[in-house]
């Protein structure tokens, strides 16, 4: 399966991807995670991305498209799930072109729909593990010991772009540049599943997995 997971910042893309990957063995490719890793390693790409990420703007398409095309090349036969990419119509068109060259296409798009107020609550309460990348929430998805990762005992941190001001910019950027990507896929007759992401984690997972089960059987 080749899946695109769309949704506003904080809609729960990373959280749902973890569950989808556990079930179907797909490669999870998060453009945000790859960029954060590049920044942590101090690469040229990470340096170029920094100012955009810190302000809540999008990193230029050319950088992202090249980076993701490279990552997709290493996908296993089971397929991949793209998290946070494509985020502009141009990125979506470039992705289609690049898949087309190797006789592939996106099988389905999962579109997580969520209210802005819910996003703000989720992002300001998010904590993540700098070691293994596990994501928690101070109220909705608590670790067993407060502030400590269940997997490796590392102290959890808050992402620097989860401040109220940057979250507001990220939401603005999403509505302006990424929401039109949903229509791009609908107009191109792709299979698009709209999912209510305001529900709790298990409720959203149930809707997502129901769609993917149907797709896997088709
Ligand atoms: P990126 O890292 O992709 O951030 P994002 O899209 O803003 O999404 P998040 O990772 O913040 O949220 P999520 O939807 O994964 O939610 P999560 O599962 O963590 O991008 C960061 C930056 O990189 C961008 O601003 C941009 O600068 C750059 N970038 C990345 N991709 C790019 C691209 N393609 N083009 C250009 N620039 C790009 O959940 C959030 C919280 O809520 C967690 O605490 C979680 O525990 C909790 N939670 C999750 N689901 C639920 C639920 N159902 N109920 C209650 N709580 C929940």
């Amino acid at each position: 399966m080749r899946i695109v997971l769309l949704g506003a910042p904080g809609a729960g893309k990373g959280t749902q991807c973890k569950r989808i990957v556990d079930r179907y063995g797909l490669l999870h490719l998060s453009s945000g995670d790859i960029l954060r890793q590049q920044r942590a390693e101090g690469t040229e790409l990470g340096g170029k991305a920094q100012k955009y990420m810190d302000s809540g703007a999008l990193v230029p398409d050319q950088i992202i498209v090249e980076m993701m095309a490279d990552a997709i090349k290493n996908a296993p036969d089971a397929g991949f799930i793209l998290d946070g990419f494509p985020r502009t119509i141009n990125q979506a068109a470039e992705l289609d072109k690049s898949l087309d060259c190797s006789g592939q296409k996106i099988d389905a798009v999962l579109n997580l729909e969520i209210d802005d107020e819910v996003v703000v609550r989720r992002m300001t309460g998010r904590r993540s593990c700098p070691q293994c990348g596990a994501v928690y929430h101070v109220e909705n998805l608590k670790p067993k010991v407060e502030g400590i990762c269940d997997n490796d005992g590392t102290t959890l941190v808050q992402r620097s772009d989860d401040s109220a001001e940057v979250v507001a910019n990220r939401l603005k950027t999403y509505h302006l540049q990424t929401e039109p990507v949903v229509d791009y896929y609908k107009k191109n007759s792709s299979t698009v599943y709209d999912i209510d992401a305001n529900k709790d984690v298990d409720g959203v997972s149930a809707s997502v997995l129901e769609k993917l089960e149907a797709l896997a059987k088709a």
Side-chain angles (χ1 to χ4, degrees):
M1 284 195 280
R2 297 178 199 95
I3 309 290
V4 165
L5 183 57
L6 295 175
K13 300 184 295 295
T15 303
Q16 295 303 327
C17 276
K18 168 88 182 67
R19 294 177 174 212
I20 294 168
V21 164
D22 287 349
R23 178 122 171 190
Y24 295 103
L26 306 179
L27 178 66
H28 176 200
L29 293 173
S30 155
S31 45
D33 285 350
I34 298 175
L35 289 168
R36 277 184 289 279
Q37 194 182 340
Q38 295 281 335
R39 282 178 64 169
E41 289 171 4
T43 65
E44 193 187 339
L45 195 159
K48 280 185 192 162
Q50 183 160 352
K51 67 173 180 207
Y52 302 100
M53 297 175 80
D54 286 347
S55 68
L58 293 184
V59 175
D61 286 347
Q62 201 191 339
I63 297 178
I64 294 290
V65 166
E66 229 169 85
M67 178 185 93
M68 294 307 283
D70 258 5
I72 287 170
K73 279 185 199 144
N74 299 319
D77 290 343
F80 55 77
I81 180 154
L82 301 177
D83 162 3
F85 172 82
R87 240 170 162 107
T88 63
I89 289 181
N90 184 36
Q91 289 180 16
E94 289 298 323
L95 171 65
D96 278 349
K97 262 197 243 165
S98 130
L99 289 174
D100 201 37
C101 286
S102 48
Q104 299 179 334
K105 67 174 185 57
I106 294 299
D107 296 309
V109 176
L110 298 168
N111 176 36
L112 300 185
E113 297 184 304
I114 188 164
D115 300 336
D116 286 3
E117 313 83 76
V118 182
V119 162
V120 173
R121 281 202 298 277
R122 286 194 191 167
M123 313 269 274
T124 46
R126 171 166 53 190
R127 300 291 181 270
S128 51
C129 174
Q131 189 64 34
C132 71
V135 175
Y136 302 88
H137 190 276
V138 292
E139 285 164 10
N140 307 326
L141 207 62
K142 295 180 183 179
K144 288 181 190 123
V145 179
E146 193 184 327
I148 302 293
C149 179
D150 291 348
N151 300 333
D152 50 33
T154 304
T155 300
L156 301 177
V157 295
Q158 185 166 23
R159 255 169 60 174
S160 59
D161 60 349
D162 278 350
S163 68
E165 191 193 342
V166 180
V167 167
N169 272 341
R170 288 164 69 191
L171 270 172
K172 215 151 94 190
T173 304
Y174 169 77
H175 290 303
L176 206 67
Q177 294 182 267
T178 307
E179 243 171 13
V181 175
V182 179
D183 284 334
Y184 168 90
Y185 281 113
K186 286 183 177 166
K187 277 186 194 143
N188 284 304
S189 314
S190 303
T191 305
V192 179
Y193 298 115
D194 293 324
I195 311 262
D196 178 5
N198 291 300
K199 294 186 282 189
D200 66 14
V201 176
D202 289 340
V204 178
S205 292
S207 307
V208 164
L209 295 177
E210 182 199 349
K211 304 295 182 203
L212 291 182
E213 278 303 300
L215 191 71
K217 282 184 195 145

